[in-house]
Amino acid sequence: MTTAAILGGCVGIVLGSVSVVSLRLSEREQRGLHGMPPPPDIPDGASTILAVLSSSALVLDAAERVVNNSPTAVADGFVVDGRLVVPELVELSRAVRRDGVIRERELELPRGRGGPPIYVHVRAAPILDAHVLLLIDDHTQVRRVEEVRRDFVVNVSHELKTPVGGLSLLAEAIMDAKGDPEATDHFAHRMQLESARLGKLIKEIVDLSQLQSQDVLAGAEPVRIADVVAEAIEVSLIEARAKDIALTARCAPDMWVRGDFGLLVTAVRNLVGNAIAYSPNATEVAVGAEVTDDEASITVTDRGRGIPAAEQERIFERFYRGDAARSRSTGGTGLGLAIVKHICTNHGGQVSVWSQEGHGSTFTITLPLLAHPQHAAAESSRVPRPEGSAA
Ligand code: ADP
C-alpha cells in the first residue's frame, strides 16, 4: 500500500472520528440545554489514529480551538493549552475555513526559544462544519541533508577546478618553454605531481560518497585490529622513510571488531599519513591499539606542529584544511579526516583528537569490540574472504 493510500485511509478515519466529534459536540450543546451531562469530547478512535500518524496532526473547530491533536503536535510546540500557537498555521487554517479549499504549504517557522528555524510541510483540509485538519511534517532534516549535498557539489567543483586549471597552465608553460629542456623537465615534473593530486582527490571524493551511501556493516566480518595496524604501517613506510620518521606500533594481539578490513586500514592509514605529513623530519609516529572501557581503541600519536584549539572541531569537515597552502604542499585534499570520521561512524565508532600546538597530536579511533575473539575467529573462518585480502 502506498503512503498516500495509508494517509488517505488515516485521514478518512480521522474525518469519520471528527464527524463523531462534531455530532457529539452538537449533541452536547442540545443536552447541555436540557441539563444532561455532556459526553466525552473526543472519541477514542480519533486520538489513536492521530497518535500513530508520523505527521503532527490537529483538528481545529470553528472557534479555532484544538479539538483533537497528536501528542507530537504538543511536543513540537504547535499546540499549547489547547490552542494552535503558530500564527502562520492559524492564518492557513482560516483561509481553508473561508473557502473550503485544501492547501499545502512549505513554511519556515521560528523554533521556540531561539535556535535555527524549522522547515515544515503543511496540508490543511476542511472537514465537516467549519473544522480544519492540519497535517504537519517536519522537513528540517531533509532540508539539511539537501543543503549539505549542495554544498558538497559546490565544494567538489571548486576543488577540482584548481588542479585542472593548474594542469592547463603547466601545459601552456611547457609549450612556451620549447627548446629549454631544463624548464620543460621542471614543468613536466610539476604536471605529474598535480595530476597525482587530482587523481587522489577524485579517488577520495568517490570513497567519501560511497561511504555516505552504503551500509558498510551489511557485509562486515570479524577483523583483527593488529592486522589493520600492520597493513596501515606497511603502506606508510615509504613516506615515513622519506622524512626519516620512525613508525612504531604497539598492539594488543587479540583485539577484534566487526567491520570492513580495507576501510579500517584506510582510516588508520589516513591518520598515520597525516601524522607523517604534519611532523618535522626525524621524529616519531606511534600507533597503539588496546582495549579501553570495553572498546577497541586505536591511537596515532605524533610530535608534530599540533593543531590550534579553534581548528580542532573543524578538521573533520570535508575540504577543511588548517593551513591551505601548507596542506597543498603536502598533497592534502582536506578529505582525509572526513573519510576517517565516516568510516568510524559507519562502524558504530568515533574518532577524536587531542592536540597541543607545538607539541603534537593524538588521534583516537574507538570501535565496538567483538566480545569473544575465539567466537570472532570461528566466525571469521566461516566467512569467505575475497582472494588476496589480508588474513
Ligand atoms: P589534508 O588533506 O589537508 O591533510 P585532512 O582532512 O586529513 O586534510 O586534515 C584536515 C586538516 O587537519 C589538515 O589540513 C591539517 O591542518 C590538520 N591536521 C590533520 N592531522 C594533523 C596532524 N597530525 N597534525 C597537525 N595537523 C593535522
Side-chain angles (χ1 to χ4, degrees):
M1 213 191 307
T2 63
T3 314
I6 295 170
L7 197 60
C10 291
V11 170
I13 299 170
V14 172
L15 294 186
S17 303
V18 169
S19 67
V20 178
V21 175
S22 309
L23 203 65
R24 295 221 181 146
L25 281 174
S26 63
E27 269 177 14
R28 187 176 58 166
E29 276 160 18
Q30 284 178 14
R31 288 180 198 204
L33 286 176
H34 297 100
M36 290 161 71
D41 277 355
I42 307 302
D44 286 348
S47 304
T48 311
I49 298 302
L50 293 188
V52 296
L53 285 180
S54 60
S55 321
S56 279
L58 55 100
V59 179
L60 291 170
D61 68 7
E64 292 181 353
R65 280 174 311 204
V66 176
V67 291
N68 203 345
N69 61 268
S70 63
T72 48
V74 176
D76 292 342
F78 302 127
V79 175
V80 176
D81 293 335
R83 312 256 1 150
L84 178 59
V85 293
V86 182
E88 290 89 338
L89 296 178
V90 174
E91 259 323 298
L92 185 65
S93 71
R94 277 183 197 152
V96 169
R97 191 176 298 106
R98 257 196 314 273
D99 58 17
V101 176
I102 295 177
R103 285 176 169 76
E104 298 204 36
R105 293 273 186 285
E106 297 285 338
L107 295 176
E108 179 184 326
L109 302 177
R111 201 184 289 264
R113 280 192 246 117
I118 58 167
Y119 298 93
V120 295
H121 174 266
V122 192
R123 185 172 164 83
I127 50 173
L128 303 167
D129 320 323
H131 284 70
V132 175
L133 170 69
L134 292 180
L135 293 172
I136 309 159
D137 287 300
D138 189 344
H139 283 186
T140 313
Q141 181 63 10
V142 177
R143 285 274 293 240
R144 217 178 60 80
V145 171
E146 261 171 30
E147 266 169 30
V148 170
R149 201 179 53 80
R150 231 186 354 252
D151 283 358
F152 185 52
V153 172
V154 172
N155 280 338
V156 166
S157 357
H158 174 77
E159 294 289 332
L160 287 176
K161 260 187 212 153
T162 317
V164 169
L167 280 174
S168 153
L169 287 176
L170 286 167
E172 265 175 43
I174 288 179
M175 285 193 288
D176 291 346
K178 257 188 235 147
D180 180 350
E182 209 173 304
T184 316
D185 267 9
H186 171 74
F187 291 130
H189 179 64
R190 296 252 326 262
M191 257 183 119
Q192 248 176 352
L193 290 180
E194 203 63 22
S195 54
R197 216 175 83 79
L198 186 59
K200 182 177 172 202
L201 181 60
I202 292 170
K203 182 186 174 307
E204 290 191 341
I205 290 169
V206 172
D207 284 354
L208 197 55
S209 63
Q210 275 173 353
L211 276 170
Q212 285 171 319
S213 60
Q214 74 193 22
D215 175 9
V216 299
L217 288 190
E221 55 184 68
V223 175
R224 205 163 72 115
I225 291 297
D227 295 338
V228 171
V229 171
E231 179 80 7
I233 286 194
E234 175 77 26
V235 293
S236 309
L237 277 177
I238 295 178
E239 284 162 61
R241 282 198 194 118
K243 289 183 76 174
D244 193 20
I245 284 177
L247 256 183
T248 62
R250 186 189 281 259
C251 288
D254 253 336
M255 205 165 69
W256 293 75
V257 298
R258 177 169 287 283
D260 180 300
F261 178 80
L263 289 177
L264 291 172
V265 170
T266 300
V268 178
R269 192 246 164 285
N270 283 2
L271 294 184
V272 173
N274 278 349
I276 296 170
Y278 297 107
S279 288
N281 287 4
T283 50
E284 189 192 334
V285 169
V287 185
E290 58 181 4
V291 176
T292 315
D293 296 334
D294 284 339
E295 285 182 312
S297 145
I298 308 166
T299 53
V300 178
T301 303
D302 65 60
R303 300 198 186 145
R305 62 181 173 107
I307 305 162
E311 280 181 20
Q312 288 177 23
E313 279 193 8
R314 302 208 53 200
I315 53 176
F316 296 99
E317 290 172 17
R318 290 176 297 199
F319 296 116
Y320 181 82
R321 284 187 287 231
D323 174 345
R326 187 166 185 155
S327 160
R328 181 169 287 279
S329 73
T330 60
T333 58
L335 288 176
L337 289 179
I339 290 175
V340 175
K341 187 175 165 192
H342 271 282
I343 292 175
C344 293
T345 30
N346 283 5
H347 280 79
Q350 55 189 17
V351 56
S352 60
V353 61
W354 173 93
S355 185
Q356 208 171 17
E357 258 189 291
H359 288 87
S361 314
T362 295
F363 284 82
T364 305
I365 290 177
T366 47
L367 299 167
L369 201 60
L370 259 188
H372 304 292
Q374 312 88 322
H375 180 216
E379 275 189 56
S380 173
S381 62
R382 283 204 301 275
V383 180
R385 281 175 178 278
E387 257 175 58
S389 72

